[in-house]
Amino acid sequence: LAGCDVVIDHTYHTRACQQAMMETFRTYCSIDAYGRLNVLSSTQIVFHCRRILANALHIPKSMIRVAKPRIGGGFGAKQTSVCEVYPAFVTWKTKKPSKIIFSRYESQIASTPRHEMELHVRLGATKDGIVRGIDLYTLSNTGAYGEHGPTTVGLSGHKSIPLYGKAEAFRFVSDVVYTNHMSAGAYRGYGATQGLFAVESAVNELADKLGIDPFVIRQRNIVHEGDVMPAYYGQVNTSCALDRCLQAVHDNIGWDEKYPVRDMGNGKVRAVGMGMAMQGSGITSVDVGSASLKINDDGFYTLSIGAADMGTGCDTILAQIAAEELGVESSMIVVRGVDTDVSPFDAGSYASSGTYVTGLAAKNAATELREKICAKAAQMWDLDAADVVFDGQYVRLSDERAAREQNRYLTLRDFANLCVKNIAGGDALTSHASACLPVSPPPFMAGIAEVEVDKATGKVTVVDYAAAVDCGTVINEALARVQAEGGIAQGIGHALYEIVEHDDRGRLRTGNFMSYKLPTRLDIGSIRVAFEPSYEPTGPFGAKSIGEVVINTPLAAVASAVAHATGHQVRSLPITPEKALLGE
């Protein structure tokens, strides 16, 4: 930093935010005919929930069965067993059914919101805008308990600093403190959200100070495919379309015509700001995803998974991945939701692991089942497995073998019925695969916010938001698009409206949706999402994650746009009209 032409040295502050999922916390418990505790819960972590309850009740895991129905959203809040222990305790002691359903107020006061963080950034660069050094210190407020305390804070550095591939040096230090507030926890973005707000805001301030277009600054500094990322555990960037994402949002918003600010002539100004983001795809060498496949009579399949679909669409995605590998329509695959008695083990739905980690398990299970289908047909026909192929509709001889003799084939339905009925030496075919990867390839994203600021009142309105996402191969564009749109809407809420407030004794003031301000559809303007695919060689069909990265760009982008509109940078979120108008 001492040798840099310019150093940006500022502190940024993000406040706690609620996940505010539509469905509140709820659990139903009963004792089954065998005296075991049955738990039906709205949870993202079905197997972890079983472990937590076994520890809390001092009973073996074998005496507990946990199942997940459809979930009305989670965003990380249901990654913590907030309510399960209470009805579980009642039912285990009384042997009577019990249930608990949190009101919205109870969900607000007993949830685990995003960690409040204070982030001190020192960023050094040349006069041409080449970022040479980044020094980040993060102070995180974990509340009254250490829920996700040390893990979340790490991502504030490890998912922000690696974006700038030309940095010659970096330092990341963090502290986590207890306070007399409710415990913080997991929330979509998981620490990267806070870190990216700080680092990206510092880069925007660097651009403004040097008089260089923020788009140009980023073009000169971003990490590229093939680069080693020292701040990302030394991992090689095996797939990256960040440069194309930047260009796409630049063109889609009409950046050159709108940057930095335009006076609308009616007491309002419009300005633009940008931000970038990266995340991960599961936790390296920790997250485990599993899938089991079975072929049934008439030739349809059952896919058993341990990942919890909480509105993310992973049931659909995993069925599509398996169907693609098997060469069948996804409608042929019945997805069985999570039940600890019958589902394969899965660490749970968090850390953006669904498509990448569990998706790879689903693909590998489908590959294994296809090989077993060919092997079983070969056994029926007294041939080598290499002489049989399966194309999704027919089990038949390979082209080479069929050219030498009369072709033999079975429809999938006939083959499956032979297997189930155990005719001709068949049996019910099943397969299983797990995935736990030594890498976590990051998805990338660029976003540009266009905001309108009322110069008389300070009211900030997002009128347009252009985003481009690199999530590897897009498995299901419709689901990917709504993931991105929803994440951007949440990010806009963090930037402008949402704040968990306490009184001087730590009691919550924002216990309902009248006092806790969520953005409505009218508050988020137009959101436009483009995809710039890369190909991730370790992912299923080249896919990476998308679930979390999409929330991370609006905070810095909106803050920069407000700075261009008003002439001063707001470094503490949310950006209220008072801050926008008067500064801090």
Side-chain angles (χ1 to χ4, degrees):
L1 295 178
C4 292
D5 296 325
V6 59
V7 175
I8 300 298
D9 187 340
H10 292 300
T11 298
Y12 302 86
H13 191 185
T14 64
R15 300 295 293 269
C17 296
Q18 291 275 7
Q19 295 89 348
M21 60 284 172
M22 185 178 294
E23 179 200 39
T24 60
F25 300 101
R26 56 198 60 203
T27 300
Y28 167 74
C29 295
S30 61
I31 300 293
D32 67 17
Y34 302 96
R36 299 172 71 224
L37 177 65
N38 280 211
V39 181
L40 187 70
S41 180
S42 181
T43 179
Q44 299 172 225
I45 49 165
V46 182
F47 283 91
H48 284 318
C49 184
R50 181 180 66 177
R51 170 182 57 82
I52 291 165
L53 290 177
N55 288 339
L57 299 179
H58 295 262
I59 60 177
K61 287 182 185 177
S62 59
M63 293 302 294
I64 304 175
R65 173 191 180 191
V66 181
K68 173 204 74 73
R70 291 290 184 182
I71 297 178
F75 307 114
K78 294 171 184 174
Q79 193 180 325
T80 301
S81 291
V82 170
C83 69
E84 287 87 352
V85 69
Y86 308 115
F89 179 78
V90 168
T91 294
W92 186 248
K93 287 297 185 182
T94 66
K95 309 305 179 188
K96 306 272 186 194
S98 67
K99 67 179 178 181
I100 189 167
I101 298 176
F102 277 31
S103 66
R104 178 58 60 184
Y105 174 73
E106 289 166 335
S107 287
Q108 292 288 100
I109 66 169
S111 180
T112 50
R114 189 185 295 285
H115 292 73
E116 176 187 17
M117 291 187 187
E118 184 177 271
L119 307 103
H120 180 202
V121 181
R122 294 195 301 157
L123 187 147
T126 67
K127 61 184 178 182
D128 296 324
I130 302 299
V131 176
R132 296 186 58 204
I134 303 174
D135 185 14
L136 174 62
Y137 170 70
T138 303
L139 179 65
S140 178
N141 177 1
T142 194
Y145 300 93
E147 185 72 31
H148 295 270
T151 50
T152 303
V153 75
L155 271 64
S156 67
H158 295 305
K159 300 293 170 65
S160 58
I161 297 172
L163 283 170
Y164 294 90
K166 293 189 177 181
E168 300 164 40
F170 73 92
R171 179 171 62 182
F172 171 52
V173 180
S174 62
D175 284 315
V176 181
V177 296
Y178 292 109
T179 60
N180 187 34
H181 291 169
M182 66 175 168
S183 177
Y187 188 171
R188 186 183 204 170
Y190 201 80
T193 310
Q194 299 94 311
L196 284 160
F197 166 64
V199 172
E200 286 297 284
S201 291
V203 172
N204 286 329
E205 294 200 58
L206 172 68
D208 293 342
K209 186 170 184 176
L210 292 174
I212 301 177
D213 190 320
F215 170 70
V216 175
I217 284 269
R218 286 175 169 83
Q219 280 186 315
R220 293 175 180 174
N221 285 283
I222 57 172
V223 67
H224 291 89
E225 189 169 306
D227 290 352
V228 175
M229 299 179 287
Y232 195 66
Y233 312 107
Q235 188 173 310
V236 176
N237 192 12
T238 49
S239 57
C240 179
L242 182 55
D243 53 346
R244 288 188 276 119
C245 288
L246 269 173
Q247 192 65 53
V249 293
H250 173 278
D251 297 343
N252 291 345
I253 202 82
W255 175 267
D256 291 336
E257 295 76 39
K258 297 176 179 178
Y259 169 76
V261 62
R262 296 170 295 151
D263 195 317
M264 307 306 293
N266 58 355
K268 298 177 181 179
V269 293
R270 289 194 178 185
V272 289
M274 70 167 48
M276 302 188 308
M278 62 180 283
Q279 197 77 37
S281 300
I283 305 174
T284 304
S285 301
V286 171
D287 275 344
V288 176
S290 302
S292 298
L293 265 170
K294 179 180 72 169
I295 187 168
N296 303 288
D297 53 315
D298 283 358
F300 71 96
Y301 302 86
T302 301
L303 173 64
S304 296
I305 58 174
D309 193 329
M310 52 181 164
T312 53
C314 76
D315 285 1
T316 302
I317 292 288
L318 297 175
Q320 286 183 292
I321 289 172
E324 180 72 17
E325 184 66 13
L326 288 166
V328 301
E329 295 293 324
S330 58
S331 58
M332 297 278 290
I333 297 183
V334 176
V335 180
R336 183 182 177 91
V338 193
D339 181 333
T340 56
D341 273 7
V342 295
S343 298
F345 180 84
D346 194 291
S349 293
Y350 56 83
S352 301
S353 62
T355 298
Y356 179 70
V357 179
T358 309
L360 187 61
K363 181 179 184 297
N364 291 342
T367 300
E368 180 185 321
L369 185 58
R370 189 179 61 200
E371 292 171 352
K372 285 187 174 182
I373 289 171
C374 293
K376 184 53 63 179
Q379 180 185 348
M380 291 177 182
W381 294 334
D382 196 23
L383 299 171
D384 292 332
D387 293 327
V388 179
V389 295
F390 173 56
D391 62 11
Q393 293 181 300
Y394 297 95
V395 185
R396 56 180 176 80
L397 296 184
S398 66
D399 293 341
E400 182 180 341
R401 182 80 187 207
R404 301 200 307 266
E405 62 180 83
Q406 183 178 359
N407 192 18
R408 280 181 276 181
Y409 69 89
L410 286 168
T411 66
L412 175 61
R413 177 175 181 173
D414 290 343
F415 172 79
N417 285 333
L418 285 174
C419 288
V420 171
K421 294 173 183 177
N422 201 29
I423 295 174
D427 57 17
L429 297 182
T430 62
S431 65
H432 172 80
S434 293
C436 181
L437 291 106
V439 292
S440 179
F444 296 93
M445 181 179 178
I448 295 177
E450 181 180 5
V451 306
E452 183 174 86
V453 179
D454 189 318
K455 292 188 290 186
T457 66
K459 178 176 172 55
V460 179
T461 304
V462 176
V463 295
D464 196 8
Y465 200 96
V469 185
D470 163 24
C471 57
T473 299
V474 181
I475 301 293
N476 184 313
E477 185 169 333
L479 286 175
R481 188 171 302 281
V482 296
Q483 282 272 24
E485 291 172 349
I488 291 166
Q490 285 180 309
I492 291 171
H494 290 4
L496 293 178
Y497 308 113
E498 297 181 49
I499 179 173
V500 174
E501 289 189 291
H502 303 85
D503 64 19
D504 57 4
R505 297 186 61 193
R507 293 175 299 194
L508 189 71
R509 283 177 169 159
T510 49
N512 56 54
F513 288 162
M514 293 296 289
S515 54
Y516 185 79
K517 302 297 186 181
L518 287 170
T520 70
R521 181 63 187 86
L522 298 176
D523 298 314
I524 58 176
S526 170
I527 295 178
R528 296 177 289 127
V529 178
F531 295 98
E532 294 292 335
S534 61
Y535 186 87
E536 173 49 49
T538 64
F541 301 109
K544 297 186 287 190
S545 76
I546 192 173
E548 292 183 277
V549 70
V550 290
I551 199 173
N552 293 332
T553 59
L555 286 72
V558 170
S560 180
V562 171
H564 293 152
T566 63
H568 55 259
Q569 180 84 29
V570 179
R571 302 187 183 98
S572 176
L573 299 180
I575 304 171
T576 60
E578 293 83 359
K579 293 179 186 177
L581 191 64
L582 304 173
E584 294 179 88

